[in-house]
Amino acid sequence: MDKLTLKSDMLLFLTSFIWGLGFVAQRVGMDYVGPFTFNSIRFALGSVVLVPLILMGKKPQVSCDSLHPIIRFKIKLLSGVLAGLVLFAAASFQQMGLVYTTAGNAGFITGLYVVIVPILGLTFRQHTNIGTWIGTFFAAAGLYLLCVTEKLTVSLGDFLVLVSAFLWAAHVLIIGWLSPKIKSLKLACIQFAVCSVLSLIAAVISEIITLQGIYHAAIPILYGGLLSVGIAYTLQVVAQRNTHPSHAAILLSFEAVFAATGGWLILDETLTTRGMLGCALMISGMLFSQLWGMLLEPKFLVNQNNLDSSPGK
């Protein structure tokens, strides 16, 4: 392994660590503010953090693009709004779910997007290999053990986070479609801003917003906004320039493990034997679906366009 690849792997591992503990911060924040208030502030912070990076990376452009600058601006804005709408839906369901479930459960269930993405990709006629289907079987079995009780019931929190996993998968596909057309940081900044505004509107309508609540939730909000959204996203963008997408997905999937570990150490969350077996099957399914693709592609090909951020942000 060369130094550049090792550096990229370390950055991705750090990103998964930040996102994993982000579930803990999101869970703690729910003790003081509503889910929409929390998301509104943290995504606003995430958007602001990216502005200096966008300005520093700005270069004089000599473009042969025949589109009028105003039309190009409208395309960027509409793309950001589309991505922001899906991001708002995914983040909202995840955040509402965290009110009723543990950080560990949320981390593992959200991680299912790794196997959901290629399955949803069938809608767009994208090829899915047998490894994905085997991984899906393991993940589904693990999800059953983790979430479904012996009375065949599912908690509201786990269900909401599961819905968010499908929405995160849809978000990945949308970003994958848009990223070749728009610079990643600009797209991220716009979608974070859109998500923040929509969350604020929802918070004003459905929640009681108090300065005292925001003050007590300041540390979780700062972690979620500056670290999970702003810094971790940037680290991922930098790291994925020099690593294979499947390789990156494997390292990023460990955010579920960090979420469970953080929930145990910080929030005193525990898992039953049945739950631990479910988590083991889920992480096995996620890894298997990615490793299969890597084994079939012995030479890593860097995908410059696959710069989407993970759902843990």
Side-chain angles (χ1 to χ4, degrees):
M1 181 182 292
D2 58 54
K3 290 184 179 180
L4 190 58
T5 302
L6 178 60
K7 180 181 177 181
S8 296
D9 286 354
M10 291 176 65
L11 289 177
L12 287 170
F13 197 72
L14 176 60
T15 300
S16 67
F17 176 78
I18 293 173
W19 280 337
L21 291 188
F23 284 99
V24 178
Q26 290 171 247
R27 183 71 184 82
V28 173
M30 294 303 90
D31 292 337
Y32 306 103
V33 296
F36 293 115
T37 301
F38 187 93
N39 276 343
S40 174
I41 302 174
R42 78 174 178 120
F43 278 106
L45 289 172
S47 181
V48 170
V49 166
L50 294 182
V51 171
L53 298 174
I54 293 172
L55 295 177
M56 285 189 295
K58 219 168 187 180
K59 298 178 181 178
Q61 294 181 349
V62 179
S63 177
C64 298
D65 194 341
S66 60
L67 293 177
H68 191 278
I70 294 179
I71 296 178
R72 287 202 302 270
F73 173 76
K74 288 181 178 179
I75 291 174
K76 290 179 182 178
L77 184 61
L78 289 174
S79 298
V81 170
L82 173 61
L85 284 169
V86 181
L87 176 63
F88 166 70
S92 296
F93 273 97
Q94 183 188 69
Q95 199 67 34
M96 288 188 293
L98 276 162
V99 176
Y100 306 103
T101 191
T102 64
N105 276 30
F108 278 102
I109 297 171
T110 301
L112 286 176
Y113 86 97
V114 172
V115 293
I116 296 173
V117 167
I119 294 175
L120 290 183
L122 294 174
T123 308
F124 304 97
R125 297 181 180 179
Q126 296 178 359
H127 174 70
T128 298
N129 59 53
I130 189 173
T132 297
W133 294 110
I134 296 174
T136 300
F137 173 78
F138 280 111
L143 180 67
Y144 176 84
L145 291 177
L146 180 67
C147 301
V148 181
T149 67
E150 295 177 357
K151 296 181 180 180
L152 301 180
T153 59
V154 180
S155 76
L156 175 61
D158 289 344
F159 175 75
L160 291 174
V161 177
L162 180 60
V163 173
S164 81
F166 280 90
L167 290 168
W168 284 122
H171 182 255
V172 168
L173 292 172
I174 289 174
I175 293 296
W177 174 57
L178 292 174
S179 59
K181 305 171 180 63
I182 303 173
K183 289 185 177 180
S184 298
L185 289 179
K186 288 184 179 179
L187 179 60
C189 186
I190 295 172
Q191 68 166 346
F192 292 160
V194 170
C195 181
S196 175
V197 171
L198 292 175
S199 297
L200 178 60
I201 294 172
V204 171
I205 294 173
S206 62
E207 298 173 356
I208 298 175
I209 304 174
T210 64
L211 291 177
Q212 184 179 8
I214 294 173
Y215 172 77
H216 287 300
I219 292 178
I221 289 174
L222 287 172
Y223 186 100
L226 299 180
L227 291 177
S228 293
V229 178
I231 294 177
Y233 174 84
T234 306
L235 290 177
Q236 188 206 13
V237 169
V238 172
Q240 281 198 236
R241 289 173 181 165
N242 302 293
T243 191
H244 189 278
S246 295
H247 186 65
I250 290 172
L251 291 171
L252 293 175
S253 67
F254 277 92
E255 68 173 318
V257 178
F258 290 125
T261 304
W264 172 54
L265 291 175
I266 300 173
L267 304 178
D268 293 324
E269 296 176 354
T270 58
L271 279 173
T272 63
T273 303
R274 176 190 175 98
M276 286 189 285
L277 178 58
C279 291
L281 285 172
M282 290 172 74
I283 197 72
S284 297
M286 288 184 269
L287 293 176
F288 192 91
S289 65
Q290 296 299 319
L291 285 171
W292 184 279
M294 287 176 61
L295 293 173
L296 293 180
E297 300 176 45
K299 293 183 179 180
F300 283 2
L301 301 175
V302 177
N303 185 343
Q304 295 280 358
N305 295 325
N306 190 8
L307 300 177
D308 179 51
S309 54
S310 168
K313 57 190 179 303

